[in-house]
């Protein structure tokens, strides 16, 4: 079956389609029911199926003779390290680390928060949680202590895992003081923290801290715990429109089925192939396509600690592809733009044998046509955009290379993926014609692998995603279909911004700025940046009577955002303005501001309080 027949079948008979796909997974008890809609809009996939995700990712491959095959290559130009773990090795490490966790009293359903750099131990710890039915929650290392504290309080972990440091090209990032600071700020106290000492920096240990290596040396390997397909595998916090992060829940069974399906049908990756998702385990791309999907299908994954440029140079990616015979690379467009800036003609590519590379997959932000054309020209392989989000866990729209490679159109991630009934609607929820932009929504139920709800926040899930248009999930992205059914995703319709492929909430940046004693009010919007896609820019109104120099305030605001949200917010632009444009009821006109910054002709709302204020800040919005 080609794409069209498969897509139609997935929507006409979801039960049949996903029952068939579930055969790719080894079940301890096969599910009788595929889709359970009895508690709609909370849908559950495979509710009576029993399985273990770690068993599917490791044990069964070893049992089927893949033990000697590399499961994971760790490539770390920042520490000058290369290491390969076979499936045998990885299974042994994961089983023993699972023993560490059970030794600390962690069991089925307990949460384990992790703040880890891109090292094999991060993958080992995630799989060890999966092995014993514990729920991991990985927090990206570029967030500040305050953000980590918010996640600790929401997830209420029994144990926290961390390392002494992460390594950025420009500096060694001390993780342990950040964790201690977060625990000081958090109300919740975990039973224990386990810290991996890295040679680059020694962490001072406190009373509740345990040394990772010491615990591991004493641990006994443990086997897999059976869990229900609907039991949570992980919580991954993502940015919403407010400052409070949303805990996206991922279940076990539907996730394993969907990821295995996507590897074969979208990414064309199978057993023995080497696949590289150059992202971070702190993001959803890292969860799905560094850790789980490649291992579920018996492929080899690459864990890369470093940046695409500067460590050591803009040929870093090509070197890894050549050394490990990478069949497909998955990264964000911003990484390609960073490489292009250093090597505009792609001259460094010519020094490497990239004959193994069949496809470059790009996601995380809009793939601009310029970057698409450049990458296609210099790499001479299909450059394939795919659109999805933390909530869905795997692509909503893509060019299904394994199922049926479709013509690629610049600016479009191609077509809806089987399982996703994607529509574009206007403000009233009516579908719009091809070529007309609107909100991109997905008819319920969402396919397996997508979020069943938010952690401890069913109501927020319904209000945030399901209430705008009855029977549909709102993606938060706007776009349009063309006459051939290709989807074009143009950007967020809410206050979420995307900086260098990192999803950030302007709300949390604003909350950090508002803590500055001189700030009366503020608004943050994303403005176009040629390298990072978007950059946050803050507009700040000072309290009356403040006579500090605006430059000084700006520096302090930048510092505050870095301290409270984290370096990843990359907030460098602060404009002190006399006022913010508001409606008569006092609502800041962020949408109008965003529109002007994006160069769109935005009609000035008739409800605006003072048009002059808008005129005053327009040059700063455009600049
Ligand atoms: N721990 C601590 N700090 C981190 C961090 C981490 N894990 N990740 C990023 N940071 C810091 C950086 O050091 C930088 O700090 P600085 O202001 O002191 O320089 C800041 O956060 C911003 O980082 P980043 O956005 O990564 O910018 P960059 O200039 O260092 O690198 C790119 C730019 C494009 C090379 C890089 O962002 C990249 O590779 N992006 C790919 C994105 C991606 O993988 N997205 C996932 C979806 S596929
Ligand atoms: P995240 O949840 O961090 O993966 O971010 C998801 C958001 O990133 C989406 O809602 C989009 O706004 C944006 N995004 C991701 N991939 C793409 C893409 N291929 N094209 C356009 N936008 C994208």
């Amino acid at each position: 079956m080609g794409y069209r027949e498969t897509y139609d079948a997935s929507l006409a008979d979801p039960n049949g389609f996903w029952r068939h796909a579930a055969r790719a997974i080894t079940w301890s008890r096969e599910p009788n029911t595929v889709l359970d809609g009895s508690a709609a809009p909370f849908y559950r996939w495979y509710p009576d199926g029993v399985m273990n995700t770690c068993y599917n990712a490791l044990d069964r491959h070893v049992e089927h003779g893949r033990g000697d095959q590399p499961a994971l290559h760790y490539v770390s130009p920042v520490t000058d390290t290369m290491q390969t773990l076979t499936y045998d090795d990885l299974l042994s490490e994961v089983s023993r680390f699972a023993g560490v966790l059970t030794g600390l009293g962690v069991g089925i359903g307990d949460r384990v928060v992790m703040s880890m750099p891109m090292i094999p131990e991060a993958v080992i710890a995630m799989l060890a949680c999966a092995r014993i039915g514990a729920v991991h929650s990985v927090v990206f290392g570029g967030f500040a202590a305050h953000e980590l504290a918010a996640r600790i309080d929401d997830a209420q972990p029994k144990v926290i895992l961390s390392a002494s440091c992460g390594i950025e090209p420009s500096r060694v990032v001390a993780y342990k003081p950040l964790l201690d600071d977060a625990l000081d700020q958090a109300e919740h106290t975990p039973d224990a923290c386990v810290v991996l000492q890295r040679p680059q920096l020694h962490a001072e240990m406190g009373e509740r801290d345990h040394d990772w290596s010491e615990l591991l040396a004493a641990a006994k390997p443990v086997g897999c715990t059976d869990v229900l397909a609907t039991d949570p595998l992980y919580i991954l916090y993502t940015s919403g429109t407010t400052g409070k992060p949303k805990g996206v829940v991922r279940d076990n069974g539907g996730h394993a089925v969907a990821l295995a399906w996507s590897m074969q049908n979208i990414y064309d990756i199978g057993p023995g192939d080497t696949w590289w998702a150059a992202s971070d385990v702190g993001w959803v791309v890292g969860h799905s396509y560094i850790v789980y999907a490649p291992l579920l299908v018996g492929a080899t994954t690459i864990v890369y600690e470093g940046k695409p440029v500067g460590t050591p140079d803009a040929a870093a990616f090509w070197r890894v592809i050549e050394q490990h015979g990478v069949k497909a690379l998955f990264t964000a467009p911003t990484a390609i733009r960073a490489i292009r800036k250093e090597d505009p003609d792609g001259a460094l590519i010519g020094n490497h044998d990239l004959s193994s590379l069949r496809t470059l997959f790009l996601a995380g932000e809009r793939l601009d046509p310029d970057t698409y054309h450049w990458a296609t020209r210099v790499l001479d392989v299909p450059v394939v955009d795919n659109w999805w989000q933390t909530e869905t866990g795997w692509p909503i729209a893509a060019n299904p290379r394994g199922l049926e490679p479709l013509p690629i159109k610049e600016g479009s991630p191609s077509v809806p993926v089987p399982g996703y009934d994607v529509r574009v609607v206007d403000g009233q929820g009516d579908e719009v014609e091809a070529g007309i932009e609107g909100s991109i929504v997905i008819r319920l139920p969402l396919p397996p692998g997508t979020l069943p709800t938010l952690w401890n926040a069913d109501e927020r899930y319904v209000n945030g995603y399901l209430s705008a248009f009855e029977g549909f999930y709102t993606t938060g992205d706007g776009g349009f279909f063309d006459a051939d059914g290709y989807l074009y995703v143009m950007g967020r319709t809410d206050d979420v911004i995307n900086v260098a492929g990192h999803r950030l909430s302007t709300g949390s940046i604003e909350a950090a700025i508002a803590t500055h004693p001189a700030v009366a009010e503020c608004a943050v919007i994303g403005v176009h940046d040629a390298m990072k896609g978007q950059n946050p820019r803050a507009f700040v109104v000072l309290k009356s009577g403040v006579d500090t120099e605006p430059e000084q305030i700006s520096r302090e605001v930048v510092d505050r955002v870095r301290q409270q949200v984290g370096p990843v917010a990359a907030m460098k632009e602060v404009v002190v303005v006399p006022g913010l444009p508001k409606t008569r009821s006092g609502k800041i006109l962020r949408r109008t501001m965003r529109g002007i910054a994006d160069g769109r002709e935005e009609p000035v709302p008739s409800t605006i309080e003072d048009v002059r204020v808008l005129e005053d800040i327009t040059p700063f919005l455009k600049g």
Side-chain angles (χ1 to χ4, degrees):
M1 273 209 293
Y3 163 72
R4 179 42 61 189
E5 298 77 14
T6 308
Y7 183 73
D8 290 346
S10 76
L11 298 192
D13 177 19
N15 280 290
F17 185 86
W18 291 111
R19 184 181 295 285
H20 185 261
R23 292 193 195 139
I25 293 306
T26 304
W27 299 86
S28 306
R29 188 176 76 211
E30 300 243 347
N32 277 321
T33 305
V34 175
L35 173 63
D36 173 9
S38 59
F42 298 95
Y43 292 91
R44 295 288 137 116
W45 290 94
Y46 314 113
D48 55 355
V50 174
M51 47 83 73
N52 181 282
T53 297
C54 180
Y55 175 83
N56 276 278
L58 298 179
D59 303 60
R60 66 168 175 161
H61 301 312
V62 171
E63 288 166 14
H64 293 156
R66 279 195 182 277
D68 290 340
Q69 182 200 304
L72 181 159
H73 297 299
Y74 168 52
V75 184
S76 171
V78 289
T79 59
D80 202 15
T81 312
M82 272 216 251
Q83 185 192 352
T84 295
L85 297 175
T86 63
Y87 271 94
D88 272 338
D89 298 333
L90 193 55
L91 176 56
S92 151
E93 295 289 329
V94 168
S95 308
R96 283 199 303 135
F97 198 73
V100 168
L101 293 174
T102 50
L104 292 169
V106 178
I108 193 164
D110 288 332
R111 274 80 59 213
V112 175
V113 162
M114 299 172 45
S115 170
M116 301 281 294
M118 282 294 292
I119 53 178
E121 285 81 357
V123 178
I124 290 166
M126 290 165 77
L127 290 163
C129 289
R131 193 168 188 80
I132 59 171
V135 182
H136 61 70
S137 186
V138 184
V139 181
F140 180 62
F143 283 118
H146 179 73
E147 293 284 328
L148 180 54
R151 288 152 175 79
I152 290 171
D153 275 340
D154 199 68
Q156 310 254 313
K158 194 162 222 173
V159 167
I160 299 185
L161 309 176
S162 191
S164 56
C165 63
I167 295 150
E168 285 293 289
S170 58
R171 65 190 193 284
V172 172
V173 183
Y175 274 25
K176 183 61 179 20
L178 190 131
L179 173 58
D180 291 340
D181 189 1
L183 285 170
D184 284 345
Q185 295 184 41
E187 280 172 22
H188 174 78
T189 309
D191 291 355
C193 296
V194 183
V195 180
L196 180 78
Q197 296 283 10
R198 301 189 76 190
Q200 293 77 15
L201 186 74
H202 185 84
E204 291 300 322
M205 303 290 266
E207 252 175 34
R208 71 179 153 233
D209 303 328
H210 298 264
D211 183 281
W212 187 297
S213 309
E214 281 173 18
L215 291 190
L216 193 60
K220 298 255 178 317
V222 304
C224 294
T225 302
D226 274 342
V227 295
L228 277 174
T230 50
D231 280 341
L233 170 67
Y234 69 76
I235 307 165
L236 179 56
Y237 288 90
T238 190
S239 304
T241 43
T242 67
K244 189 171 157 37
K246 301 190 281 197
V248 167
V249 176
R250 192 81 59 215
D251 66 10
N252 274 274
H255 173 250
V257 172
L259 289 192
W261 190 91
S262 73
M263 277 314 254
Q264 185 190 343
N265 292 285
I266 298 176
Y267 300 110
D268 194 20
I269 293 291
D273 288 337
T274 300
W275 155 266
W276 179 17
S279 178
D280 188 289
V281 287
W283 304 113
V284 71
V285 175
H287 280 63
S288 294
Y289 293 109
I290 295 174
V291 184
Y292 288 109
L295 298 177
L296 283 165
V297 299
T300 303
T301 188
I302 292 186
V303 173
Y304 181 78
E305 187 181 29
K307 301 260 159 141
V309 290
T311 50
D313 53 42
F317 273 23
W318 321 135
R319 201 170 287 119
V320 177
I321 292 171
E322 178 176 21
Q323 269 163 355
H324 293 289
V326 171
K327 184 175 169 191
L329 169 66
F330 182 153
T331 189
T334 187
I336 300 299
R337 290 196 294 269
I339 293 171
R340 179 184 182 180
K341 189 168 169 228
E342 300 279 305
D343 182 20
D345 300 320
L348 295 171
I349 297 172
N351 304 335
H352 297 276
D353 174 4
L354 302 190
S355 53
S356 64
L357 187 72
R358 301 290 154 75
T359 321
L360 171 65
F361 292 98
L362 295 173
E365 54 172 327
R366 180 162 187 267
L367 173 55
D368 55 288
D370 210 25
T371 304
Y372 162 73
H373 285 299
W374 185 82
T376 307
R377 182 168 60 79
V378 298
L379 286 171
D380 197 22
V381 295
V383 173
V384 178
D385 188 4
N386 53 122
W387 167 65
W388 47 295
Q389 40 188 214
T390 306
E391 289 85 344
T392 64
W394 63 290
I396 310 167
N399 197 311
R401 307 303 294 177
L403 182 60
E404 180 191 352
L406 300 173
I408 295 173
K409 295 194 191 189
E410 64 171 51
S412 168
S414 302
V415 292
V417 166
Y420 290 97
D421 189 352
V422 181
R423 311 287 174 98
V424 177
V425 297
D426 63 18
Q428 279 67 52
D430 295 325
E431 252 182 276
V432 297
E433 284 172 26
I436 308 284
E437 206 170 319
S439 298
I440 310 178
V441 298
I442 307 167
R443 182 189 276 282
L444 296 175
L446 297 177
T450 56
L451 81 170
T453 188
L454 294 174
W455 183 250
N456 281 341
D458 285 348
E459 204 180 313
R460 191 175 180 200
Y461 169 60
V462 173
N463 291 341
Y465 296 101
L466 309 182
S467 59
F469 306 105
E470 177 83 34
F472 289 88
Y473 166 90
T474 303
T475 64
D477 282 299
F480 61 92
F481 277 113
D482 74 6
D484 298 327
Y486 276 57
L487 186 67
Y488 291 73
V489 182
M490 305 311 289
R492 300 287 304 194
T493 54
D494 55 16
D495 293 327
V496 168
I497 59 172
N498 196 313
V499 180
H502 307 315
R503 174 167 160 183
L504 296 166
S505 142
T506 53
S508 66
I509 301 176
E510 288 173 4
I513 297 174
T515 63
H516 191 291
V519 171
E521 57 183 357
C522 65
V524 173
I525 60 165
V527 292
H528 175 75
D529 180 80
M531 178 63 61
K532 294 194 167 188
Q534 280 187 310
N535 261 332
R537 184 177 295 163
F539 295 85
V540 170
V541 181
L542 301 183
K543 286 181 183 156
S544 59
V546 172
D547 54 6
T548 318
E549 285 294 309
E551 292 74 22
Q552 170 74 13
I553 302 271
S554 296
R555 275 195 300 276
E556 289 171 9
V557 164
V558 165
D559 191 48
R560 217 159 253 258
V561 171
R562 195 177 170 92
Q563 295 309 324
Q564 291 193 21
V565 183
V568 68
M571 232 282 306
K572 304 220 160 67
E573 302 176 29
V574 179
V575 189
V576 176
V577 290
L580 292 170
K582 289 186 193 159
T583 61
R584 283 192 204 100
S585 61
K587 230 173 144 244
I588 297 173
L589 289 162
R590 288 185 176 76
R591 196 191 163 93
T592 308
M593 291 171 71
R594 277 206 315 262
I596 295 170
D598 289 347
R600 289 200 301 268
E601 279 302 315
E602 285 287 317
V604 176
S606 56
T607 53
I608 189 166
E609 187 188 39
D610 189 346
V611 177
R612 273 172 314 166
V613 174
L614 188 61
E615 285 168 1
D616 283 349
I617 69 165
T618 293
F620 299 107
L621 288 163
K622 287 184 170 159

